[in-house]
Amino acid sequence: MQKTKQKKDWDKGFCNDNGFCSDCKAYTDVVLDHRSGDTICTQCGLVLEDHAVDFTAEWRNFDDQDSTNDPSRVGARSDPLLDNGVLTVNISNDKKKAVSCVLPRLHKTLQNPDKSLHVAFETLGMMADRLALVTAIRDHAKELYKKADDRKFCRGRNCDAIMAACLFLACQEKGLPRTLKEIAMVANGATRKEINRMKELLKKILEVDSKTTNVGDLSRRCCSMIGMANQDMKAVLETLNKSKEVDVRRSPKSVLAAVMYMIAQLSNDKSTRDLTLHDVSQAADVAVATTKKAYKDLYPYVSRIIPNWFVKLEDLKILCLP
């Protein structure tokens, strides 16, 4: 009778797992009854454990629900960069009660001193999310901003430009650089000129030794945007390194776009060969006309800069004439 009842319950979507049954003397499939908290053997129906604790959430969130009504009873995780963590007290203002009118005014004099930092950290987090940056870069950018704030650097300056500059420096120090144009797109109105100026000031004040962004560091990300294979990416990087030996006076990003277009034409992947000049220029964030000029300057040196392991010398005739 008990086994029959358990078999009916097993069909209701309980969690399956493996466990050792003392009656069966073997490891058997077990199910967890979330309503009663019992772990039951599927072979003999023996209750192996009882009163199991479910650590999952006790509610579900849906897109059509009101986002202001959050059922969570805990706040965000503590932040070591904030003196008071994320603990704050909010006092509602009820005009019908005299006490409620006095408390908010008193509360303004006792506000959390880290409130401005907390707002800045939230803004930095949103910037990093829009650029799809990893957590290590986001945390390092917060550390740089905290150091600048402790030295009273942020007073009277554009905080958005400072946060964007911290994010730019954090990307460089972690080996995942971003261009100033990419940072400016998420800087809430701060221009590239302002971000660059704040970056230079932060490097002096914080004594940050950041290197210049190398186009080779951007090549893998640009190639990934158009779906290039690893072998093609390796050929692009090696071609870029060899292109430094020839006299081509073009910007690094325009050279990158031209090299990507060359490798795309010589690739073994059909989808990569079908890429147009516009697709490559858009991935490298370069104008099509600029890519054409760089391609024209590099074309006489293709036999010297394109690696031999990637393509044979006679196959270079496949390349389009500039």
Side-chain angles (χ1 to χ4, degrees):
M1 184 68 179
Q2 183 180 1
K3 292 184 180 180
T4 305
K5 182 180 179 181
Q6 293 297 343
K7 288 182 179 179
K8 291 181 180 179
D9 292 340
W10 295 338
D11 297 333
K12 295 181 180 179
F14 299 150
C15 294
N16 293 316
D17 202 351
N18 293 327
F20 184 80
C21 178
S22 58
D23 280 6
C24 299
K25 306 297 182 182
Y27 285 95
T28 60
D29 293 335
V30 297
V31 292
L32 175 61
D33 189 347
H34 292 282
R35 290 176 296 179
S36 62
D38 296 339
T39 303
I40 308 163
C41 175
T42 58
Q43 300 296 327
C44 63
L46 178 67
V47 178
L48 303 178
E49 295 180 4
D50 57 355
H51 301 293
V53 179
D54 189 1
F55 292 97
T56 58
E58 58 199 67
W59 63 83
R60 291 186 297 170
N61 293 326
F62 300 95
D63 293 337
D64 57 349
Q65 288 182 340
D66 186 9
S67 59
T68 59
N69 185 17
D70 189 3
S72 177
R73 294 188 294 272
V74 296
R77 64 181 179 89
S78 61
D79 196 335
L81 298 177
L82 300 176
D83 295 335
N84 295 333
V86 293
L87 301 178
T88 56
V89 177
N90 295 325
I91 300 177
S92 61
N93 188 3
D94 189 358
K95 296 182 180 180
K96 296 181 180 180
K97 298 180 181 180
V99 178
S100 299
C101 296
V102 178
L103 287 178
R105 290 197 298 268
L106 296 176
H107 182 247
K108 290 182 180 179
T109 62
L110 300 174
Q111 284 183 344
N112 186 2
D114 291 335
K115 184 178 180 180
S116 59
L117 272 179
H118 183 62
V119 174
F121 288 171
E122 288 184 347
T123 306
L124 272 172
M126 289 188 290
M127 288 182 180
D129 290 339
R130 292 170 64 183
L131 289 174
L133 299 177
V134 296
T135 306
I137 294 179
R138 181 187 313 173
D139 293 341
H140 189 54
K142 291 179 181 180
E143 292 178 8
L144 294 176
Y145 187 87
K146 171 67 173 175
K147 292 179 181 178
D149 185 74
D150 290 342
R151 301 187 183 185
K152 312 299 181 184
F153 177 78
C154 302
R155 291 186 177 181
R157 291 186 170 93
N158 187 351
C159 292
D160 290 328
I162 296 174
M163 288 184 285
C166 291
L167 202 62
F168 181 84
L169 293 175
C171 290
Q172 283 190 333
E173 291 190 348
K174 294 298 180 180
L176 298 171
R178 294 292 187 273
T179 61
L180 278 176
K181 184 176 181 180
E182 291 176 305
I183 299 294
M185 291 175 63
V186 299
N188 299 326
T191 61
R192 280 185 284 180
K193 184 177 179 180
E194 292 175 333
I195 297 172
N196 188 51
R197 184 164 58 89
M198 291 300 171
K199 179 198 70 173
E200 297 299 329
L201 291 175
L202 286 173
K203 288 170 64 175
K204 294 179 181 179
I205 294 175
L206 303 180
E207 298 179 355
V208 177
D209 187 16
S210 63
K211 62 179 182 178
T212 306
T213 302
N214 187 9
V215 68
D217 299 332
L218 304 175
S219 62
R220 178 167 291 274
R221 185 158 51 88
C222 294
C223 293
S224 299
M225 292 176 62
I226 55 178
M228 276 189 168
N230 291 331
Q231 187 177 9
D232 298 338
M233 294 182 188
K234 183 179 178 181
V236 169
L237 183 59
E238 190 170 336
T239 306
L240 281 174
N241 294 331
K242 289 185 178 181
S243 65
K244 299 176 183 179
E245 302 174 359
V246 299
D247 186 16
V248 176
R249 300 178 183 180
R250 294 291 174 182
S251 64
K253 293 185 68 174
S254 62
V255 174
L256 171 61
V259 169
M260 288 172 57
Y261 186 55
M262 289 180 179
I263 299 301
Q265 296 179 64
L266 301 172
S267 175
N268 294 326
D269 188 4
K270 185 179 182 303
S271 60
T272 305
R273 291 198 304 269
D274 293 339
L275 292 172
T276 62
L277 183 63
H278 180 268
D279 296 333
V280 175
S281 301
Q282 188 176 8
D285 195 17
V286 178
V288 176
T290 305
T291 306
K292 287 182 178 180
K293 293 178 182 179
Y295 183 88
K296 182 178 180 180
D297 293 343
L298 282 174
Y299 185 80
Y301 307 102
V302 291
S303 59
R304 294 171 53 185
I305 61 177
I306 295 181
N308 297 328
W309 60 264
F310 182 72
V311 66
K312 296 180 180 180
L313 186 61
E314 56 270 15
D315 294 335
L316 293 176
K317 300 178 182 179
I318 303 176
L319 293 175
C320 298
L321 295 176

